[in-house]
């Protein structure tokens, strides 16, 4: 089942079901108004939503319309929590080597995770505002899961049963700001602007065998102004999504609608490229002695699309956004 959220002026938008070919859609308003409500009532609404999705495929659904990703907000325009991991150890190792950092203690056995802002997620085709190019504007391609209610101290095996939807993410980062904030020991704040999402959230069955051991085994194709940055596979996660969920819920419960990210998708094979510019620069520092790739400037565009192993477009749709200058507000 493919689900998207059309902007309608409300905080949570309007839930629509999208056809498997991403060409058509139908409103789910007769069942549930928005995805946030659907996740809170999943046991009650899943079957009717799947029936409507089947009707969309067979032609039995009425009031069908052409699906327009440009009308989409993030699948969840806001969420109870946004927790982002760093489950691709290759990415962390490269950053440590490039910047001569000591390894994070227990990095290979205990997941690394931070809590980001979840009140203002961005849709797939909006311009993304930033204050200054000097902040080190970077994109970060990730996969993520949206969960049902998760009890505290859940096991990874139990956590696997709480995954409801998969999503594709661009976790925007400000690298110069992040370098300072990390040293404070308090974690990220200004370094993590609003996060962007591809238009469609999908149930795990939509990716078939690519949903493998709690990982999204699709390649994430990322371009900067039409030029390839990378196409790394999500299958190389050192920690599965169920393990990340169990880590997040070790000392607290998680509310339905909580989103958990994989962290930057990264592969050991350099031919796969990278999913963020910081990693590109880290590899340059290792191989060339200096970083030669600049971070993003105003007017540049970033595109992200997951793809199956045979080259088919993945189920999430595309993120295609332009970096723009934010207008500063003046206090009265």
């Amino acid at each position: 089942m493919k689900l998207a959220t059309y902007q309608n002026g409300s905080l949570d938008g309007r839930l629509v079901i999208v056809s498997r070919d991403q060409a058509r859609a139908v409103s789910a308003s007769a069942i549930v108004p928005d995805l946030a409500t659907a996740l809170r009532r999943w046991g009650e609404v899943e079957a009717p939503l799947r029936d409507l999705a089947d009707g969309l495929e067979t032609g039995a659904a009425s009031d069908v319309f052409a699906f327009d990703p440009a009308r989409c907000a993030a699948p969840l325009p806001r969420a109870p929590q946004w927790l982002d991991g760093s489950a691709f150890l290759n990415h962390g190792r490269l950053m440590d080597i490039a910047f001569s950092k000591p390894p994070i203690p227990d990095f290979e056995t205990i997941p690394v995770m931070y809590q980001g802002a979840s009140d203002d997620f961005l849709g797939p085709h909006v311009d993304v505002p930033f204050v200054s190019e000097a902040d080190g504007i970077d994109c970060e391609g990730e996969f993520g899961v949206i969960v049902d209610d998760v009890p505290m101290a859940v096991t990874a095996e139990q956590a696997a049963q709480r995954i409801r939807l998969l999503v594709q993410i661009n976790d925007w980062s400000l690298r110069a700001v992040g370098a300072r904030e990390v040293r404070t020991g308090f974690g990220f704040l200004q370094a993590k602007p609003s996060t962007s999402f591809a238009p469609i959230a999908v149930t795990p069955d939509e990716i078939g065998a690519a949903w493998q051991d709690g990982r999204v085994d699709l390649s994430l194709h990322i371009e900067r102004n039409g030029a390839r940055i990378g196409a790394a596979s999500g299958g190389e996660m050192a920690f599965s999504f169920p393990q990340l969920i169990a880590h997040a819920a070790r000392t607290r419960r998680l509310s339905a609608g909580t989103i958990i990210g994989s962290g930057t998708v990264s592969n050991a094979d350099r031919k796969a490229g990278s999913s963020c510019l910081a990693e590109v620069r880290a590899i340059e520092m290792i191989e060339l002695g200096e970083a030669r790739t600049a971070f993003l400037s105003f007017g540049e565009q970033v595109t992200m699309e997951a793809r199956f192993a045979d080259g088919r477009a993945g189920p999430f749709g595309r993120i295609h956004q332009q970096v723009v200058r934010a207008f500063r507000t003046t206090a009265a």
Side-chain angles (χ1 to χ4, degrees):
M1 184 163 53
K2 289 183 167 71
L3 304 172
T5 295
Y6 266 23
Q7 301 177 65
N8 66 352
S10 71
L11 291 174
D12 296 306
R14 175 169 66 105
L15 181 63
V16 301
I17 293 178
V18 183
S19 62
R20 287 197 172 93
D21 63 3
Q22 301 179 30
R24 294 162 293 115
V26 63
S27 174
S29 296
I31 302 170
V32 66
D34 53 65
L35 184 54
T37 304
L39 288 159
R40 290 193 296 270
R41 296 168 48 195
W42 193 256
E44 173 189 345
V45 304
E46 180 187 11
L49 289 173
R50 286 191 179 276
D51 288 343
L52 184 56
D54 290 342
L56 179 59
E57 297 302 324
T58 63
S62 57
D63 299 321
V64 174
F65 49 87
F67 177 59
D68 182 4
R71 294 185 60 185
C72 288
L76 280 176
R78 55 181 182 159
Q81 285 193 93
W82 158 230
L83 306 173
D84 198 16
S86 182
F88 292 88
L89 300 188
N90 181 69
H91 176 73
R93 291 175 185 135
L94 285 172
M95 303 298 278
D96 288 345
I97 294 170
F99 298 103
S100 301
K101 293 167 47 186
I104 296 172
D106 304 312
F107 184 59
E108 297 190 6
T109 56
I110 300 176
V112 174
M113 188 174 289
Y114 77 91
Q115 182 166 327
S118 61
D119 59 332
D120 183 33
F121 292 137
L122 302 179
H125 295 291
V126 298
D127 291 343
V128 183
F130 295 94
V131 173
S132 172
E133 293 173 343
D135 288 339
I137 303 167
D138 199 0
C139 57
E140 282 191 67
E142 306 187 15
F143 294 111
V145 296
I146 305 177
V147 300
D148 201 343
D149 288 314
V150 178
M152 186 175 71
V154 70
T155 66
E157 291 74 17
Q158 293 166 335
Q161 306 306 312
R162 314 311 295 177
I163 295 172
R164 295 292 169 252
L165 299 169
L166 312 178
V167 289
Q168 178 189 310
I169 300 166
N170 183 0
D171 181 37
W172 292 101
S173 296
L174 299 174
R175 300 300 187 181
V177 179
R180 177 184 57 79
E181 288 188 333
V182 164
R183 292 194 296 271
T184 69
F186 274 80
F188 297 124
L189 179 66
Q190 294 178 351
K192 290 294 184 178
S194 296
T195 302
S196 298
F197 288 77
I200 303 171
V202 307
T203 49
D205 56 285
E206 285 291 329
I207 66 172
W211 179 239
Q212 191 171 94
D213 299 323
R215 297 162 172 84
V216 179
D217 193 14
L218 301 175
S219 58
L220 187 51
H221 291 249
I222 302 177
E223 295 180 349
R224 175 187 193 175
N225 305 320
R228 178 184 185 271
I229 296 176
S233 170
E236 243 178 75
M237 284 174 70
F239 301 101
S240 69
F241 279 113
Q243 289 173 310
L244 294 181
I245 296 166
H247 175 77
R250 181 177 177 272
T251 59
R252 58 180 175 178
R253 64 185 180 88
L254 308 180
S255 300
T258 294
I259 304 171
I260 295 180
S262 65
T264 306
V265 177
S266 181
N267 294 172
D269 184 355
R270 297 281 172 84
K271 294 179 182 177
S274 299
S275 299
C276 69
L277 298 177
E279 185 173 296
V280 173
R281 289 166 58 89
I283 293 171
E284 290 172 343
M285 292 173 69
I286 294 167
E287 296 183 348
L288 306 174
E290 62 178 357
R292 298 181 180 178
T293 296
F295 288 117
L296 293 163
S297 299
F298 299 136
E300 293 199 80
Q301 297 182 342
V302 173
T303 303
M304 297 185 179
E305 181 183 56
R307 296 179 190 170
F308 289 98
D310 60 7
R312 287 179 296 130
F316 306 106
R318 291 198 315 159
I319 295 173
H320 182 72
Q321 297 180 310
Q322 180 168 262
V323 174
V324 298
R325 186 189 300 274
F327 292 100
R328 287 182 179 271
T329 57
T330 302

